Amino acid sequence: DSRGGNTGGSPGGAGSGSSPTESRNKELARKQAKMYDSATGDSKRWEEEGTSYESDRLPYLVSGYGDVVTEARQDAGLTVEEVAAELEVDEDDLLAVEDGRAATANVGGSVVRALEERFGIDVVDE
């Protein structure tokens, strides 16, 4: 009987042992999020331009649009960094377009239009 009591107490001890671990993990996650926000939190763009996603909606894109953009960029002999700097767009947005994940990455339609104009390509399904 006394061993049963001890065994019953042991999981309780482990349970209370995991509680400090959980709060340490939460604290660590909070700190990481804070660091991420401070590293990427340039809100100047949103303060100046506002957050109206309707004005820069991503249009429907042709199938395989990412390959079209990648090929056009490579044919021009340019890197992602060079094109992003030239068009004044975020490198991550350009990479998302080339990877075919513009919609899931919330890339604005202006990025796609700039790429079409720069390379003389059609990727918008009109």
Side-chain angles (χ1 to χ4, degrees):
D1 281 321
S2 65
R3 276 201 316 184
N6 288 343
T7 308
S10 183
S16 60
S18 69
S19 182
T21 302
E22 185 179 333
S23 48
R24 272 198 302 268
N25 288 342
K26 283 182 181 179
E27 186 179 339
L28 181 60
R30 221 179 357 263
K31 285 180 181 176
Q32 286 175 332
K34 189 175 181 180
M35 284 177 12
Y36 179 81
D37 286 346
S38 65
T40 61
D42 182 9
S43 63
K44 185 168 57 176
R45 174 180 171 194
W46 307 119
E47 291 165 9
E48 292 171 1
E49 300 173 21
T51 56
S52 175
Y53 295 107
E54 289 298 309
S55 64
D56 195 20
R57 286 171 72 180
L58 184 68
Y60 288 108
L61 301 172
V62 298
S63 178
Y65 66 88
D67 294 334
V68 173
V69 173
T70 303
E71 192 174 311
R73 177 184 57 75
Q74 290 173 344
D75 287 350
L78 298 169
T79 66
V80 170
E81 294 82 10
E82 290 169 335
V83 173
E86 179 184 330
L87 300 180
E88 296 181 357
V89 300
D90 193 90
E91 283 181 34
D92 290 340
D93 285 352
L94 181 51
L95 286 168
V97 171
E98 289 195 2
D99 289 345
R101 43 182 190 86
T104 56
N106 295 320
V107 175
S110 59
V111 173
V112 174
R113 300 280 185 198
L115 290 167
E116 279 190 317
E117 191 175 309
R118 169 61 178 88
F119 294 115
I121 55 176
D122 292 314
V123 291
V124 174
D125 189 7
E126 293 180 307

